[in-house]
Amino acid sequence: MAVQGSKAELRAGRLTARDAIPVAERIEKSLQLADHGLAALQFEPGTVISGFLPIRSEMDLRPLMAGLRGRGARICVPVILDKQQIVFRELVPGAPLVDCGFGTMAPGPEAEVLDPDIMLVPLSAFDARGQRIGYGGGYYDRAIARLHALGRRPQLIGIAFDCQEVASVPTEPHDIGLQALLSESGLRIFDTQIG
């Protein structure tokens, strides 16, 4: 677990640690996460779950998303619209993916935009209180705030490798905590309030 520091320092340190995981080990840990997630996540058929397609050294959620779809979930992934906003487009088997910038691929504009009931949230660092550090763009914070403004309270589950944990994440008033974190060692539930 890393010591406390500024968000930028913590982000850089944990992303460096994540990058250092050998590719074969990253694949194995992604499969372990999928097994834990499929065993632990409970939802009704038709529930909208947002995941993400991996970039750089992120956890690969494709096995988990396929399993959740097999249990009746509607799967969506984020699409960057501009420098401020993401939306979540439905990911269906066989649909073409398009380049959406920042190294991301996602369904094109013909895909349905969905509002998630459960959000699997990428992050660079997290702590034992359920606080997270994203990648610095604020996309998820704004997307969550937009959903809250619509009266929706999606369950927020961080996705990370265990090595991304830090002692304490500095928080600001607008920060929204995670309800849980899913990693290669399982699902951790946090005692946080939904914003």
Side-chain angles (χ1 to χ4, degrees):
M1 187 181 323
V3 296
Q4 182 172 356
S6 75
K7 282 188 176 182
E9 291 168 338
L10 292 171
R11 178 183 298 116
R14 294 306 83 211
L15 291 179
T16 297
R18 188 182 79 184
D19 291 345
I21 301 171
V23 172
E25 187 177 332
R26 204 177 306 141
I27 293 168
E28 186 60 33
K29 289 176 185 289
S30 294
L31 293 172
Q32 291 169 349
L33 174 137
D35 289 344
H36 291 302
L38 289 171
L41 296 178
Q42 301 298 317
F43 57 89
E44 297 295 321
T47 297
V48 177
I49 301 178
S50 70
F52 52 89
L53 298 172
I55 59 171
R56 300 184 299 268
S57 58
E58 284 180 334
M59 190 73 78
D60 187 347
L61 286 187
R62 289 173 293 186
L64 175 59
M65 292 189 299
L68 296 173
R69 180 183 295 110
R71 287 181 38 206
R74 293 184 73 186
I75 302 297
C76 56
V77 295
V79 177
I80 299 170
L81 295 183
D82 53 41
K83 292 184 178 183
Q84 293 292 313
Q85 185 179 9
I86 58 174
V87 295
F88 297 90
R89 290 183 184 154
E90 188 165 21
L91 180 67
V92 296
L97 300 178
V98 298
D99 182 351
C100 293
F102 300 99
T104 64
M105 300 290 287
E110 69 285 348
E112 186 175 354
V113 173
L114 302 174
D115 288 333
D117 302 305
I118 299 172
M119 296 177 75
L120 304 179
V121 182
L123 52 87
S124 59
F126 69 94
D127 68 17
R129 298 174 301 139
Q131 295 300 317
R132 67 178 255 285
I133 299 174
Y135 294 137
Y139 288 103
Y140 271 84
D141 294 326
R142 287 187 294 276
I144 293 164
R146 180 185 63 80
L147 290 168
H148 286 182
L150 294 172
R152 300 183 64 94
R153 295 289 186 263
Q155 182 181 7
L156 305 177
I157 302 173
I159 300 295
F161 294 98
D162 290 334
C163 70
Q164 292 175 252
E165 185 171 2
V166 297
S168 180
V169 168
T171 57
E172 299 172 62
H174 66 271
D175 288 335
I176 300 169
L178 301 166
Q179 283 85 51
L181 181 113
L182 185 59
S183 73
E184 71 268 25
S185 34
L187 184 71
R188 294 168 59 177
I189 306 296
F190 300 119
D191 185 23
T192 59
Q193 298 297 314
I194 298 175

